[in-house]
Coordinates of all heavy atoms in Angstrom, one line a residue:
M1 N -30.1 -10.6 -84.4 CA -29.0 -11.5 -84.5 C -28.5 -11.9 -83.1 O -28.2 -11.0 -82.2 CB -27.8 -10.8 -85.1 CG -27.6 -11.3 -86.5 SD -26.0 -10.6 -87.2 CE -25.1 -12.1 -87.5
P2 N -28.5 -13.2 -82.7 CA -28.1 -13.6 -81.4 C -26.7 -13.2 -81.1 O -26.3 -13.1 -79.9 CB -28.4 -15.1 -81.3 CG -28.3 -15.5 -82.8 CD -28.7 -14.3 -83.6
N3 N -25.8 -13.2 -81.9 CA -24.3 -13.0 -81.6 C -23.9 -11.6 -81.8 O -22.8 -11.4 -82.2 CB -23.5 -13.9 -82.4 CG -23.6 -13.8 -83.8 OD1 -24.5 -13.1 -84.3 ND2 -22.6 -14.3 -84.6
S4 N -24.8 -10.6 -81.6 CA -24.3 -9.2 -81.6 C -23.8 -8.8 -80.2 O -24.5 -8.4 -79.5 CB -25.4 -8.2 -82.1 OG -24.9 -7.0 -82.1
R5 N -22.5 -9.1 -80.1 CA -21.9 -8.9 -78.7 C -20.6 -8.0 -78.7 O -19.9 -7.8 -79.7 CB -21.6 -10.2 -78.2 CG -22.6 -11.2 -77.9 CD -22.1 -12.2 -77.0 NE -23.2 -13.2 -76.5 CZ -23.4 -14.4 -77.1 NH1 -22.8 -14.8 -78.0 NH2 -24.4 -15.1 -76.5
C6 N -20.3 -7.7 -77.5 CA -19.1 -6.9 -77.3 C -18.3 -7.7 -76.2 O -18.9 -8.0 -75.1 CB -19.3 -5.5 -76.9 SG -17.9 -4.6 -76.6
V7 N -17.1 -7.9 -76.5 CA -16.2 -8.5 -75.5 C -15.2 -7.5 -75.1 O -14.4 -6.9 -75.8 CB -15.4 -9.7 -76.1 CG1 -14.5 -10.4 -75.0 CG2 -16.3 -10.8 -76.5
R8 N -15.2 -7.2 -73.8 CA -14.3 -6.1 -73.2 C -13.4 -6.9 -72.4 O -13.5 -7.5 -71.5 CB -15.1 -5.2 -72.4 CG -16.3 -4.5 -73.1 CD -16.8 -3.3 -72.3 NE -15.9 -2.2 -72.4 CZ -16.0 -1.2 -71.4 NH1 -16.9 -1.1 -70.6 NH2 -15.1 -0.3 -71.5
V9 N -12.0 -6.6 -72.7 CA -10.9 -7.2 -72.1 C -10.1 -6.1 -71.5 O -9.5 -5.3 -72.1 CB -9.9 -8.0 -73.2 CG1 -8.8 -8.7 -72.3 CG2 -10.7 -8.9 -74.0
C10 N -10.1 -6.1 -70.1 CA -9.5 -5.1 -69.3 C -7.9 -5.1 -69.6 O -7.4 -6.1 -69.7 CB -9.7 -5.4 -67.8 SG -8.8 -4.2 -66.8
Q11 N -7.6 -3.8 -70.0 CA -6.0 -3.5 -70.2 C -5.5 -2.6 -69.2 O -4.5 -2.0 -69.5 CB -5.9 -3.1 -71.6 CG -6.3 -4.1 -72.7 CD -5.5 -5.3 -72.7 OE1 -4.3 -5.3 -73.0 NE2 -6.2 -6.5 -72.5
N12 N -6.1 -2.6 -68.1 CA -5.5 -1.6 -67.1 C -4.3 -2.3 -66.4 O -4.1 -3.5 -66.6 CB -6.5 -1.1 -66.1 CG -6.2 0.4 -65.8 OD1 -5.1 0.7 -65.5 ND2 -7.4 1.1 -65.8
R13 N -3.7 -1.6 -65.6 CA -2.3 -2.0 -65.0 C -2.4 -3.4 -64.4 O -1.6 -4.2 -64.6 CB -1.8 -0.9 -64.0 CG -0.5 -0.9 -63.8 CD 0.1 0.4 -63.2 NE -0.8 0.7 -62.1 CZ -0.1 0.9 -60.9 NH1 1.2 0.8 -60.8 NH2 -0.9 1.1 -59.8
T14 N -3.4 -3.6 -63.5 CA -3.2 -4.9 -62.7 C -3.5 -6.1 -63.6 O -2.9 -7.0 -63.5 CB -4.3 -4.8 -61.5 OG1 -4.2 -3.7 -60.9 CG2 -4.0 -5.9 -60.5
C15 N -4.6 -5.9 -64.5 CA -5.0 -7.0 -65.4 C -3.7 -7.3 -66.3 O -3.4 -8.3 -66.8 CB -6.2 -6.8 -66.1 SG -7.6 -7.1 -65.1
R16 N -3.0 -6.1 -66.8 CA -1.9 -6.2 -67.6 C -0.8 -7.1 -67.0 O -0.3 -7.9 -67.7 CB -1.4 -4.9 -68.0 CG -2.2 -4.2 -69.0 CD -1.8 -4.5 -70.4 NE -0.6 -3.6 -70.8 CZ -0.6 -2.6 -71.5 NH1 -1.8 -2.1 -72.0 NH2 0.4 -2.0 -71.9
K17 N -0.6 -6.8 -65.8 CA 0.4 -7.6 -65.1 C 0.0 -9.1 -65.0 O 0.9 -9.9 -64.9 CB 0.6 -7.2 -63.7 CG 1.6 -6.1 -63.5 CD 1.8 -5.8 -62.0 CE 2.2 -4.4 -61.7 NZ 1.8 -3.9 -60.4
Q18 N -1.2 -9.3 -65.1 CA -1.6 -10.7 -65.1 C -1.9 -11.4 -66.4 O -2.4 -12.5 -66.5 CB -2.9 -10.8 -64.3 CG -2.7 -10.5 -62.8 CD -3.9 -10.4 -62.0 OE1 -4.9 -9.7 -62.3 NE2 -4.0 -11.2 -60.8
G19 N -1.4 -10.7 -67.4 CA -1.4 -11.3 -68.8 C -2.4 -10.9 -69.7 O -2.8 -11.5 -70.7
A20 N -3.1 -9.8 -69.4 CA -4.3 -9.3 -70.2 C -4.0 -9.0 -71.7 O -4.8 -9.1 -72.5 CB -5.0 -8.1 -69.5
K21 N -2.7 -8.7 -71.8 CA -2.4 -8.2 -73.3 C -2.5 -9.5 -74.1 O -3.0 -9.3 -75.4 CB -0.9 -7.6 -73.2 CG -0.8 -6.7 -74.4 CD 0.6 -6.0 -74.1 CE 0.9 -5.2 -75.4 NZ 2.3 -4.7 -75.4
S22 N -2.0 -10.5 -73.8 CA -2.1 -11.8 -74.6 C -3.4 -12.3 -74.7 O -3.9 -13.0 -75.6 CB -1.2 -12.9 -74.0 OG -1.5 -13.2 -72.8
V23 N -4.3 -12.0 -73.7 CA -5.7 -12.5 -73.7 C -6.5 -11.6 -74.9 O -7.2 -12.2 -75.6 CB -6.4 -12.3 -72.3 CG1 -8.0 -12.5 -72.5 CG2 -5.8 -13.2 -71.3
L24 N -6.2 -10.4 -74.8 CA -6.8 -9.5 -75.9 C -6.2 -9.9 -77.3 O -7.1 -10.1 -78.2 CB -6.4 -8.0 -75.6 CG -6.8 -7.0 -76.6 CD1 -8.5 -7.0 -76.7 CD2 -6.5 -5.6 -76.3
A25 N -5.1 -10.3 -77.3 CA -4.5 -10.6 -78.6 C -5.1 -12.0 -79.1 O -5.4 -12.1 -80.3 CB -3.0 -10.8 -78.5
A26 N -5.4 -12.9 -78.1 CA -6.0 -14.2 -78.5 C -7.4 -13.9 -79.0 O -7.9 -14.6 -79.9 CB -6.0 -15.1 -77.2
F27 N -8.2 -13.0 -78.4 CA -9.5 -12.7 -78.9 C -9.4 -12.2 -80.3 O -10.2 -12.5 -81.2 CB -10.3 -11.8 -78.0 CG -10.9 -12.5 -76.8 CD1 -10.5 -12.5 -75.5 CD2 -12.2 -13.2 -77.1 CE1 -11.2 -13.0 -74.5 CE2 -12.8 -13.8 -76.0 CZ -12.4 -13.7 -74.7
E28 N -8.5 -11.2 -80.4 CA -8.3 -10.6 -81.8 C -7.9 -11.7 -82.9 O -8.2 -11.4 -84.0 CB -7.4 -9.4 -81.7 CG -8.1 -8.4 -81.0 CD -7.0 -7.1 -80.6 OE1 -5.8 -7.4 -80.6 OE2 -7.5 -6.1 -80.3
A29 N -7.3 -12.6 -82.5 CA -6.9 -13.6 -83.4 C -8.1 -14.5 -83.9 O -7.9 -15.3 -84.8 CB -5.7 -14.4 -82.8
L30 N -9.0 -14.5 -83.1 CA -10.2 -15.4 -83.4 C -11.5 -14.6 -83.7 O -12.4 -14.6 -83.0 CB -10.5 -16.3 -82.2 CG -9.4 -17.4 -81.9 CD1 -9.7 -18.0 -80.6 CD2 -9.3 -18.5 -83.0
P31 N -11.5 -13.8 -84.7 CA -12.5 -12.8 -85.0 C -13.9 -13.6 -85.3 O -13.8 -14.6 -86.2 CB -12.2 -12.0 -86.2 CG -11.0 -12.7 -86.8 CD -10.5 -13.7 -85.9
I32 N -15.0 -13.1 -84.9 CA -16.3 -13.8 -85.1 C -17.2 -12.6 -85.7 O -17.3 -11.6 -85.0 CB -16.9 -14.3 -83.8 CG1 -15.9 -15.1 -83.0 CG2 -18.1 -15.1 -84.2 CD1 -16.2 -15.2 -81.6
P33 N -18.0 -12.9 -86.7 CA -18.9 -11.9 -87.2 C -19.8 -11.5 -86.1 O -20.5 -12.3 -85.5 CB -19.5 -12.7 -88.3 CG -18.7 -13.8 -88.7 CD -18.0 -14.2 -87.5
G34 N -20.1 -10.3 -86.0 CA -21.1 -9.8 -85.0 C -20.5 -9.6 -83.6 O -21.2 -9.2 -82.8
V35 N -19.3 -9.9 -83.3 CA -18.7 -9.7 -82.1 C -17.6 -8.8 -82.2 O -16.7 -8.8 -83.0 CB -18.1 -11.1 -81.5 CG1 -17.5 -10.9 -80.2 CG2 -19.3 -12.1 -81.4
I36 N -17.7 -7.7 -81.3 CA -16.7 -6.7 -81.3 C -15.8 -7.0 -80.0 O -16.3 -7.1 -78.9 CB -17.4 -5.3 -81.2 CG1 -18.2 -5.1 -82.5 CG2 -16.2 -4.3 -80.9 CD1 -19.0 -3.9 -82.3
V37 N -14.5 -6.9 -80.2 CA -13.5 -7.1 -79.2 C -12.9 -5.8 -78.9 O -12.3 -5.2 -79.8 CB -12.5 -8.3 -79.4 CG1 -11.4 -8.3 -78.4 CG2 -13.2 -9.6 -79.6
T38 N -12.9 -5.4 -77.5 CA -12.3 -4.1 -77.3 C -11.5 -4.2 -76.0 O -11.8 -4.9 -75.1 CB -13.3 -2.9 -77.2 OG1 -14.2 -3.3 -76.0 CG2 -14.2 -2.7 -78.3
A39 N -10.5 -3.4 -76.0 CA -9.7 -3.1 -74.9 C -10.5 -2.3 -73.8 O -11.3 -1.4 -74.3 CB -8.4 -2.4 -75.2
S40 N -10.5 -2.6 -72.6 CA -11.2 -1.8 -71.6 C -10.3 -1.1 -70.6 O -9.3 -1.7 -70.3 CB -12.3 -2.9 -70.9 OG -12.8 -2.2 -69.8
S41 N -10.9 -0.1 -70.1 CA -10.1 0.4 -68.9 C -10.5 -0.4 -67.7 O -11.3 -1.4 -67.9 CB -10.5 1.8 -68.7 OG -11.9 2.0 -68.6
C42 N -10.0 -0.1 -66.6 CA -10.3 -1.0 -65.4 C -11.8 -1.3 -65.2 O -12.6 -0.5 -65.2 CB -9.8 -0.2 -64.1 SG -10.0 -1.2 -62.7
L43 N -12.0 -2.5 -65.0 CA -13.4 -3.0 -64.9 C -13.8 -3.0 -63.3 O -14.9 -3.6 -62.9 CB -13.6 -4.3 -65.5 CG -13.6 -4.4 -67.0 CD1 -13.5 -5.8 -67.5 CD2 -14.8 -3.7 -67.5
G44 N -12.9 -2.5 -62.5 CA -13.2 -2.4 -61.0 C -13.0 -3.7 -60.3 O -13.5 -3.9 -59.1
Q45 N -12.3 -4.7 -60.8 CA -12.2 -6.0 -60.2 C -10.7 -6.4 -60.1 O -10.4 -7.6 -60.3 CB -13.0 -7.1 -60.8 CG -14.5 -6.7 -61.2 CD -15.1 -6.4 -59.8 OE1 -14.9 -7.0 -58.8 NE2 -16.0 -5.4 -59.9
C46 N -9.8 -5.4 -59.9 CA -8.4 -5.6 -59.9 C -8.0 -6.7 -59.1 O -8.5 -6.8 -57.9 CB -7.6 -4.5 -59.6 SG -8.2 -2.9 -60.4
G47 N -7.0 -7.6 -59.5 CA -6.6 -8.7 -58.6 C -7.2 -10.0 -59.0 O -6.7 -11.0 -58.7
N48 N -8.3 -9.9 -59.8 CA -9.0 -11.1 -60.3 C -8.7 -11.4 -61.8 O -9.4 -12.2 -62.3 CB -10.4 -11.1 -60.0 CG -10.6 -11.0 -58.4 OD1 -10.4 -11.9 -57.7 ND2 -11.0 -9.8 -57.9
G49 N -7.9 -10.7 -62.3 CA -7.7 -10.6 -63.7 C -6.9 -11.7 -64.3 O -6.5 -12.6 -63.5
P50 N -6.7 -11.6 -65.6 CA -7.4 -10.7 -66.5 C -8.9 -10.8 -66.4 O -9.4 -12.0 -66.5 CB -6.8 -11.1 -67.9 CG -5.5 -11.8 -67.5 CD -5.7 -12.5 -66.3
M51 N -9.6 -9.7 -66.4 CA -11.0 -9.8 -66.4 C -11.5 -9.6 -67.9 O -11.0 -8.9 -68.6 CB -11.6 -8.6 -65.6 CG -11.3 -8.6 -64.1 SD -12.0 -10.1 -63.2 CE -13.8 -10.0 -63.8
V52 N -12.5 -10.4 -68.2 CA -13.3 -10.3 -69.5 C -14.7 -10.1 -69.2 O -15.3 -11.0 -68.4 CB -12.8 -11.5 -70.3 CG1 -13.8 -11.5 -71.5 CG2 -11.5 -11.7 -70.6
L53 N -15.3 -9.1 -69.9 CA -16.7 -8.9 -69.6 C -17.5 -9.1 -71.1 O -17.0 -8.4 -72.1 CB -16.9 -7.5 -69.2 CG -18.4 -7.0 -69.0 CD1 -19.3 -7.9 -68.2 CD2 -18.4 -5.5 -68.5
V54 N -18.4 -9.9 -71.2 CA -19.1 -10.1 -72.4 C -20.5 -9.5 -72.2 O -21.3 -9.6 -71.4 CB -19.4 -11.6 -72.6 CG1 -20.1 -11.8 -73.9 CG2 -18.1 -12.4 -72.7
L55 N -20.8 -8.5 -73.1 CA -22.0 -7.8 -73.2 C -22.8 -8.0 -74.4 O -22.1 -8.4 -75.5 CB -21.6 -6.2 -73.3 CG -20.8 -5.7 -72.0 CD1 -20.4 -4.3 -72.4 CD2 -21.7 -5.7 -70.8
P56 N -24.0 -8.0 -74.5 CA -24.9 -7.4 -73.5 C -25.3 -8.6 -72.4 O -25.9 -8.3 -71.6 CB -26.2 -7.1 -74.2 CG -26.2 -8.1 -75.3 CD -24.8 -8.2 -75.6
D57 N -24.6 -9.8 -72.5 CA -24.9 -10.8 -71.6 C -24.6 -10.4 -70.0 O -25.2 -11.2 -69.3 CB -24.0 -12.1 -72.0 CG -24.1 -12.5 -73.4 OD1 -24.1 -11.4 -74.2 OD2 -24.1 -13.5 -73.8
M58 N -23.7 -9.5 -69.9 CA -23.3 -9.3 -68.5 C -22.6 -10.5 -67.9 O -22.8 -10.8 -66.8 CB -24.4 -8.7 -67.6 CG -24.7 -7.3 -68.0 SD -23.2 -6.1 -67.8 CE -23.0 -6.1 -66.0
V59 N -21.7 -11.2 -68.7 CA -21.2 -12.4 -68.2 C -19.6 -11.9 -67.9 O -19.0 -11.4 -68.7 CB -21.2 -13.5 -69.1 CG1 -20.3 -14.7 -68.8 CG2 -22.6 -14.1 -69.2
W60 N -19.2 -12.2 -66.7 CA -17.8 -11.9 -66.3 C -17.0 -13.2 -66.2 O -17.3 -14.2 -65.5 CB -17.9 -11.2 -64.9 CG -18.5 -9.9 -64.9 CD1 -19.9 -9.8 -64.8 CD2 -18.0 -8.7 -64.7 NE1 -20.1 -8.4 -64.7 CE2 -19.0 -7.7 -64.6 CE3 -16.6 -8.2 -64.7 CZ2 -18.8 -6.4 -64.6 CZ3 -16.4 -6.9 -64.5 CH2 -17.5 -6.0 -64.4
Y61 N -15.8 -13.2 -66.8 CA -14.7 -14.2 -66.6 C -13.7 -13.6 -66.0 O -13.2 -12.4 -66.2 CB -14.4 -14.8 -68.0 CG -15.5 -15.5 -68.8 CD1 -16.1 -15.0 -69.9 CD2 -15.9 -16.7 -68.2 CE1 -17.1 -15.7 -70.5 CE2 -17.0 -17.3 -68.9 CZ -17.6 -16.9 -69.9 OH -18.6 -17.6 -70.6
C62 N -13.1 -14.3 -65.1 CA -11.9 -13.9 -64.2 C -10.7 -14.9 -64.5 O -10.8 -16.0 -64.9 CB -12.2 -13.8 -62.8 SG -12.6 -15.4 -62.0
G63 N -9.5 -14.3 -64.2 CA -8.2 -15.0 -64.4 C -8.1 -15.8 -65.7 O -7.7 -16.9 -65.8
V64 N -8.6 -15.0 -66.8 CA -8.6 -15.7 -68.1 C -7.1 -15.8 -68.6 O -6.3 -15.0 -68.6 CB -9.5 -14.8 -69.0 CG1 -9.4 -15.5 -70.4 CG2 -10.9 -14.8 -68.5
R65 N -6.8 -17.0 -69.1 CA -5.5 -17.2 -69.8 C -5.7 -17.2 -71.2 O -6.8 -17.6 -71.7 CB -4.9 -18.5 -69.3 CG -4.7 -18.4 -67.8 CD -4.0 -19.6 -67.3 NE -3.7 -19.5 -65.9 CZ -2.5 -18.9 -65.5 NH1 -1.6 -18.7 -66.3 NH2 -2.3 -18.8 -64.2
S66 N -4.6 -16.8 -72.0 CA -4.7 -16.7 -73.4 C -5.2 -18.1 -74.0 O -5.9 -18.1 -75.0 CB -3.5 -16.2 -74.1 OG -2.4 -16.9 -73.6
N67 N -4.6 -19.2 -73.4 CA -5.1 -20.5 -73.9 C -6.5 -20.9 -73.6 O -6.9 -22.1 -74.1 CB -4.0 -21.5 -73.5 CG -4.0 -21.8 -72.1 OD1 -4.8 -21.2 -71.4 ND2 -3.0 -22.5 -71.6
E68 N -7.2 -20.1 -72.9 CA -8.5 -20.5 -72.6 C -9.5 -19.6 -73.4 O -10.7 -19.8 -73.4 CB -8.9 -20.1 -71.1 CG -8.1 -21.0 -70.2 CD -8.3 -20.5 -68.7 OE1 -8.3 -19.3 -68.4 OE2 -8.3 -21.4 -67.8
V69 N -9.1 -18.7 -74.2 CA -9.8 -17.8 -75.0 C -10.6 -18.6 -76.0 O -11.8 -18.3 -76.3 CB -9.0 -16.7 -75.6 CG1 -9.7 -15.9 -76.7 CG2 -8.5 -15.7 -74.6
A70 N -9.9 -19.6 -76.7 CA -10.8 -20.3 -77.7 C -12.0 -21.0 -77.1 O -13.0 -21.1 -77.8 CB -9.8 -21.4 -78.2
L71 N -11.8 -21.4 -75.9 CA -13.0 -22.1 -75.2 C -14.2 -21.0 -75.0 O -15.4 -21.4 -75.4 CB -12.6 -22.6 -73.8 CG -13.7 -23.4 -73.1 CD1 -14.2 -24.6 -73.9 CD2 -13.1 -23.8 -71.7
I72 N -13.8 -19.8 -74.7 CA -14.9 -18.8 -74.5 C -15.4 -18.4 -75.9 O -16.7 -18.4 -76.1 CB -14.3 -17.5 -73.9 CG1 -13.9 -17.8 -72.5 CG2 -15.4 -16.4 -73.9 CD1 -13.3 -16.6 -71.8
V73 N -14.6 -18.4 -76.9 CA -15.1 -18.1 -78.2 C -16.0 -19.2 -78.7 O -17.1 -19.0 -79.2 CB -13.9 -17.9 -79.3 CG1 -14.4 -17.9 -80.7 CG2 -13.3 -16.7 -78.9
E74 N -15.6 -20.5 -78.6 CA -16.3 -21.6 -79.2 C -17.6 -21.8 -78.4 O -18.7 -21.9 -78.9 CB -15.5 -22.9 -79.2 CG -14.7 -23.0 -80.4 CD -13.5 -24.0 -80.0 OE1 -13.8 -25.1 -79.5 OE2 -12.4 -23.8 -80.6
Q75 N -17.4 -21.9 -77.1 CA -18.6 -22.3 -76.2 C -19.6 -21.1 -76.1 O -20.9 -21.3 -76.1 CB -18.1 -22.9 -74.9 CG -19.3 -23.5 -74.2 CD -18.7 -24.1 -72.8 OE1 -17.7 -24.8 -72.8 NE2 -19.6 -23.9 -71.7
H76 N -19.1 -20.0 -75.8 CA -20.0 -18.9 -75.4 C -20.3 -18.0 -76.5 O -21.5 -17.9 -76.9 CB -19.3 -18.0 -74.3 CG -20.2 -16.9 -73.8 ND1 -20.1 -16.4 -72.6 CD2 -21.2 -16.2 -74.3 CE1 -20.9 -15.4 -72.4 NE2 -21.7 -15.3 -73.4
L77 N -19.4 -17.5 -77.3 CA -19.7 -16.5 -78.4 C -20.3 -17.2 -79.6 O -21.1 -16.7 -80.3 CB -18.5 -15.7 -78.7 CG -17.8 -15.0 -77.6 CD1 -16.4 -14.3 -78.1 CD2 -18.7 -14.0 -77.0
I78 N -20.0 -18.6 -79.8 CA -20.5 -19.2 -80.9 C -21.7 -20.1 -80.5 O -22.7 -20.1 -81.0 CB -19.4 -20.0 -81.8 CG1 -18.3 -19.0 -82.4 CG2 -20.1 -20.8 -82.7 CD1 -17.3 -19.7 -83.0
G79 N -21.4 -20.8 -79.3 CA -22.3 -21.8 -78.9 C -23.4 -21.2 -78.0 O -24.3 -21.9 -77.6
N80 N -23.3 -19.9 -77.6 CA -24.1 -19.3 -76.6 C -24.4 -20.1 -75.3 O -25.4 -20.0 -74.7 CB -25.6 -19.2 -77.4 CG -25.5 -18.2 -78.5 OD1 -25.1 -17.1 -78.4 ND2 -26.1 -18.7 -79.6
E81 N -23.3 -20.7 -74.9 CA -23.3 -21.3 -73.5 C -22.2 -20.7 -72.7 O -21.0 -20.9 -73.2 CB -23.3 -22.8 -73.6 CG -24.5 -23.4 -73.4 CD -24.3 -25.0 -73.4 OE1 -23.6 -25.5 -72.5 OE2 -25.0 -25.6 -74.3
K82 N -22.5 -20.3 -71.5 CA -21.4 -19.7 -70.7 C -20.4 -20.7 -70.3 O -20.7 -22.0 -70.2 CB -22.0 -19.2 -69.3 CG -22.8 -18.0 -69.5 CD -23.3 -17.5 -68.2 CE -24.6 -18.2 -67.8 NZ -25.5 -17.6 -66.8
V83 N -19.1 -20.4 -70.1 CA -18.2 -21.4 -69.6 C -18.2 -21.4 -68.2 O -17.4 -20.6 -67.5 CB -16.8 -21.0 -70.3 CG1 -15.8 -22.2 -69.9 CG2 -16.8 -20.8 -71.7
T84 N -19.0 -22.1 -67.7 CA -19.3 -22.2 -66.1 C -18.0 -22.2 -65.3 O -18.0 -21.4 -64.4 CB -20.2 -23.4 -65.9 OG1 -21.2 -23.3 -66.7 CG2 -20.7 -23.2 -64.4
Q85 N -17.1 -22.9 -65.7 CA -15.9 -23.0 -64.7 C -15.1 -21.9 -64.7 O -14.2 -21.7 -63.8 CB -15.1 -24.4 -65.1 CG -14.5 -24.3 -66.4 CD -15.3 -24.8 -67.5 OE1 -16.5 -24.7 -67.5 NE2 -14.6 -25.3 -68.6
M86 N -15.3 -21.0 -65.7 CA -14.4 -19.8 -65.7 C -15.1 -18.6 -65.2 O -14.5 -17.4 -65.2 CB -13.9 -19.6 -67.2 CG -12.9 -20.6 -67.5 SD -12.5 -20.4 -69.2 CE -11.9 -18.8 -69.3
L87 N -16.4 -18.6 -64.9 CA -17.2 -17.4 -64.4 C -16.7 -16.9 -63.2 O -16.0 -17.5 -62.3 CB -18.6 -17.9 -64.1 CG -19.5 -18.4 -65.3 CD1 -20.8 -18.8 -64.6 CD2 -19.7 -17.2 -66.3
Y88 N -16.7 -15.5 -63.1 CA -16.2 -14.8 -61.9 C -17.3 -14.9 -60.8 O -18.4 -14.4 -60.9 CB -16.1 -13.3 -62.4 CG -15.7 -12.3 -61.3 CD1 -14.6 -12.8 -60.4 CD2 -16.1 -11.0 -61.3 CE1 -14.1 -11.9 -59.5 CE2 -15.5 -10.2 -60.3 CZ -14.5 -10.6 -59.4 OH -14.1 -9.7 -58.5
K89 N -17.0 -15.8 -59.8 CA -17.9 -16.1 -58.8 C -18.6 -15.0 -58.1 O -19.8 -15.1 -57.7 CB -17.3 -17.1 -57.8 CG -16.7 -18.4 -58.4 CD -17.8 -19.3 -58.7 CE -17.4 -20.6 -59.3 NZ -17.0 -20.6 -60.7
R90 N -17.8 -13.9 -57.9 CA -18.4 -12.8 -57.2 C -19.7 -12.3 -57.8 O -20.7 -11.8 -57.1 CB -17.3 -11.6 -57.2 CG -17.8 -10.4 -56.5 CD -16.6 -9.5 -56.3 NE -17.0 -8.3 -55.6 CZ -16.1 -7.3 -55.4 NH1 -15.0 -7.4 -55.9 NH2 -16.5 -6.2 -54.8
F91 N -19.8 -12.2 -59.2 CA -21.0 -11.9 -59.8 C -21.9 -12.9 -60.3 O -23.0 -12.8 -60.9 CB -20.6 -10.9 -60.9 CG -19.9 -9.6 -60.6 CD1 -19.2 -9.1 -61.5 CD2 -20.2 -9.1 -59.4 CE1 -18.5 -7.9 -61.2 CE2 -19.6 -7.9 -59.1 CZ -18.7 -7.3 -59.9
H92 N -21.4 -14.2 -60.2 CA -22.1 -15.4 -60.7 C -22.3 -16.5 -59.7 O -22.2 -17.7 -60.0 CB -21.4 -15.9 -61.9 CG -21.3 -15.0 -63.2 ND1 -22.4 -14.6 -64.0 CD2 -20.4 -14.2 -63.7 CE1 -22.1 -13.8 -64.9 NE2 -20.8 -13.5 -64.7
S93 N -22.3 -16.1 -58.4 CA -22.5 -17.1 -57.4 C -23.6 -18.1 -57.6 O -23.6 -19.2 -57.2 CB -22.5 -16.5 -56.0 OG -23.6 -15.5 -56.0
G94 N -24.7 -17.6 -58.1 CA -26.0 -18.4 -58.3 C -26.1 -19.2 -59.5 O -26.9 -20.1 -59.6
D95 N -25.3 -19.0 -60.5 CA -25.6 -19.7 -61.7 C -24.4 -20.7 -62.1 O -23.7 -20.6 -63.2 CB -25.8 -18.7 -62.9 CG -24.8 -17.6 -63.0 OD1 -24.1 -17.3 -62.0 OD2 -24.8 -16.8 -64.0
G96 N -24.1 -21.5 -61.1 CA -23.0 -22.5 -61.3 C -23.4 -23.7 -62.0 O -22.6 -24.6 -62.3
K97 N -24.7 -23.7 -62.5 CA -25.1 -24.9 -63.4 C -25.3 -24.6 -64.8 O -25.8 -23.6 -65.0 CB -26.3 -25.6 -62.7 CG -26.3 -25.9 -61.3 CD -27.5 -25.4 -60.5 CE -27.0 -24.7 -59.2 NZ -27.7 -23.6 -58.8
Ligands
FES101 S1 -7.0 -3.5 -63.8 FE1 -8.5 -4.9 -64.6 S2 -10.2 -4.9 -63.3 FE2 -8.9 -3.4 -62.7

C-alpha cells in the first residue's frame, strides 16, 4: 500500500508555543486510511516549528499552521506529492522542484 505512513507532529515545548497542538488536532480531524498520526517528542529542530515529519518518506515540514494541514493531507498523504513550499529547507535544500 503506498499510503502506509506515519505523521509525527512534535508536541514538545517549543513547538507547542508555536501552535503545534492545533496542528495535531487538524491532522486528527482529517483521518486517512493507512496513515497514523502521532504526537512526537522533540524532533530536534526547535524554533522552526511546529515541526511535522512524514514517515517513511522522511519529509519534514516546518512552521506548519493548522490551516495548512489540509494541503499536506490532500497533496502529500493522498496525492503523494510533497508540498514543496512548506518543506523544511535545512533537510530539503536540494529538492525544491
Ligand atoms: S520542540 Fe519541536 S522540534 Fe523541538
Side-chain angles (χ1 to χ4, degrees):
M1 257 187 119
N3 63 345
S4 181
R5 288 195 178 100
C6 178
V7 177
R8 305 193 69 195
V9 185
C10 178
Q11 295 296 300
N12 219 315
R13 207 158 54 118
T14 312
C15 284
R16 282 272 280 261
K17 264 191 213 148
Q18 295 176 303
K21 210 173 170 187
S22 62
V23 172
L24 178 62
F27 273 108
E28 286 171 340
L30 296 169
I32 313 157
V35 178
I36 298 163
V37 175
T38 61
S40 169
S41 55
C42 179
L43 291 168
Q45 307 305 320
C46 312
N48 298 289
M51 291 300 306
V52 172
L53 172 61
V54 182
L55 299 170
D57 313 36
M58 282 306 285
V59 169
W60 297 75
Y61 292 111
C62 60
V64 178
R65 299 184 172 266
S66 56
N67 63 7
E68 296 172 323
V69 166
L71 184 60
I72 296 178
V73 168
E74 278 162 35
Q75 190 176 319
H76 186 155
L77 302 177
I78 297 173
N80 292 312
E81 251 184 65
K82 289 179 278 198
V83 186
T84 309
Q85 67 272 28
M86 288 172 61
L87 291 176
Y88 184 37
K89 296 288 181 284
R90 182 167 176 189
F91 295 153
H92 295 284
S93 55
D95 43 352
K97 309 130 219 137

